[in-house]
Amino acid sequence: MLSKRIIPCLDVDHGRVKKGVHFVSLTDVGDPAEIAAAYEKQGADELVFLDITATVEQRPAIVDTIEQVASQVFMPLTVGGGVHNVADMQRLLHAGADKVALNSAAVRNPELLTQGAEKFGAQCMVAAIDVRYNDKMQVYEVVVDGGRTPTGKDGIAWAREAVERGAGELMVTSMDKDGTKAGFDLKLYQQLTAAVDVPIIASGGCGSTQDMVDLFKQTNVDAGLAASVFHFGELTIPDVKRALQKEGVPVRWS
Amino acid sequence: MLALVDYDTGNVRNVQKALSFLGIASTLTADPDELLAADGIILPGVGAFQKAMAALADRQLVPVLQQAARSGQPMLGICLGMQLLFDYSDEFGRCPGLGILPGAVVPIPKADDLKVPHMGWDKNVSQRPGKLADIFGGQYTYFVHSFYVQTASRNVVCSCDYGVRIPSVVRQNNVIGMQFHPEKSGKVGLAGLSAFEEVCRNADVARN
């Protein structure tokens, strides 16, 4: 049986990890390779890098950073932000990424998922979907541009379409929960796992080990992603895995 | 010097990064002489079986790899590269493989609670004692695949349970296959690559 994956997410800005990452043992708290290595040591199952400035500034994504991380850290790496075309994907995969995540670009041009899947395989293509619950529409509405632009699209329907078009995995963030530390949006993930049969990474709202336990006990997602709680050492990967193991959720120890 | 087969497949450079991290010299080549002169050959692979066989055939590498294996040269197939070592695959219709190891490549059956592709970290269960089983037995490694190998149990070093028993490490004498990605499987995966290098070194001594 596959283990459930615990994934720290690193925001990268001009080759440096932003939001600050505070590990006691690091000499340089902004160096992506050093931070990635620290997470590998903790037992992270995968890393997600988001180039946070790329979409806004239309810069090509963080090829050098990925090259450097992939030379020192040997686990799956997913990269998102600023991926606009097949050439962007190729550069990132060539630099050492295993998967590329498409967010706004895929919503605007869903054909990109198909082009990427045909060239690199669906296992390389992650559809990153940000949703916010829309009371009027009574659906999880897809939002793009880092949550700034509502699209009127139903998130569950878009998830289905993204898979049909070639996404091999979904990384779905609840903008309602993101940053709240109030727990994952369990209802969202229950609906998603019923709608599609590709792996799903849940993101947004993790504040405690119990939130991860609830996520995996009450939904059938494959992975839980968090950023600040790991970066600031409020939670460690072993804390999370110990709690999950106690509840009978399969986790990887290395 | 290890030779990585260069045939336009995805993850070659990540394998090379892992080798260089371990201090193991390697070269990426499609040159038959260079391949046959290497201490060992690594056949990586991501993607579709048929396309990969066609890419090997384009470069006239099919007989080269078969000859290398016959001559006792150590060989490691990774992921799709492992599957290519076998007789044939049923991915998009039947397609012959390298036929270096006996067996077939068939789809992983879909089940309600088991997603296909088999993607993520799964636990290897030791099936046959030895160095590779010592490294991988009881350990998690990273898999991404939708097809799996069916072969006689004597060739299976480790397997994992995913509705069916999926051979995760296979070995017949000098030829080794890893269904997972050792270059993406942390310390355990790196230990596996080191073990292959050791096989190459020992074979080199034997060949001299």
Side-chain angles (χ1 to χ4, degrees), chain B residues 88-163:
Chain B
Y88 66 87
S89 165
D90 280 334
E91 189 175 346
F92 307 119
R94 187 155 294 191
C95 172
L98 292 168
I100 289 169
L101 297 178
V105 180
V106 299
I108 300 172
K110 242 184 188 165
D112 277 351
D113 51 341
L114 298 174
K115 297 174 186 177
V116 177
H118 175 230
M119 178 163 114
W121 296 84
D122 210 342
K123 196 189 226 169
N124 294 274
V125 181
S126 168
Q127 301 292 342
R128 199 177 92 187
K131 174 90 195 215
L132 291 171
D134 289 347
I135 291 171
F136 293 114
Q139 299 289 335
Y140 282 89
T141 52
Y142 189 74
F143 293 83
V144 186
H145 63 123
S146 302
F147 288 73
Y148 75 107
V149 159
Q150 288 181 330
T151 184
S153 57
R154 64 176 179 279
N155 302 322
V156 180
V157 177
C158 290
S159 64
C160 48
D161 293 315
Y162 197 70

Side-chain angles (χ1 to χ4, degrees), chain B residues 36 56-57 60-68 70 98:
Chain B
L36 292 170
L56 288 175
Q60 275 104 43
L61 291 178
V62 173
V64 175
L65 294 172
Q66 289 166 335
Q67 184 194 334
R70 256 198 319 272
L98 292 168

Side-chain angles (χ1 to χ4, degrees), chain A residues 11-76:
Chain A
D11 288 346
V12 183
D13 177 13
H14 298 94
R16 305 281 293 170
V17 173
K18 282 295 142 98
K19 274 194 195 167
V21 175
H22 297 264
F23 287 132
V24 271
S25 56
L26 293 190
T27 50
D28 178 355
V29 293
D31 177 55
E34 202 173 345
I35 291 163
Y39 277 127
E40 182 175 52
K41 217 166 155 193
Q42 274 197 15
D45 297 308
E46 188 166 332
L47 293 173
V48 169
F49 293 85
L50 291 181
D51 191 351
I52 53 173
T53 42
T55 302
V56 180
E57 297 178 4
Q58 301 289 311
R59 273 188 310 105
I62 38 170
V63 173
D64 292 345
T65 302
I66 296 308
E67 184 86 44
Q68 199 188 343
V69 171
S71 310
Q72 292 167 55
V73 167
F74 301 98
M75 68 172 126

Side-chain angles (χ1 to χ4, degrees), chain A residues 1-3 45 67 70-72 74-77 94-96 98-99 123 169 197-199 220 222 251-252, chain B residues 13-14 17-18 21 46 51 110 115 118-123 139-140 142 144 161-162 183-186 190:
Chain A
M1 198 200 308
L2 291 170
S3 67
D45 297 308
E67 184 86 44
S71 310
Q72 292 167 55
F74 301 98
M75 68 172 126
L77 306 174
H94 193 69
D98 300 280
K99 312 177 210 177
Q123 83 287 341
E169 187 167 37
D197 57 7
V198 299
N220 192 26
D222 302 83
V251 290
R252 172 184 75 108
Chain B
R13 289 185 74 247
N14 281 337
K17 280 183 178 129
F21 182 82
V46 184
K51 236 172 153 177
K110 242 184 188 165
K115 297 174 186 177
H118 175 230
M119 178 163 114
W121 296 84
D122 210 342
K123 196 189 226 169
Q139 299 289 335
Y140 282 89
Y142 189 74
V144 186
D161 293 315
Y162 197 70
E183 77 281 10
K184 287 288 165 182
S185 295
L190 294 178

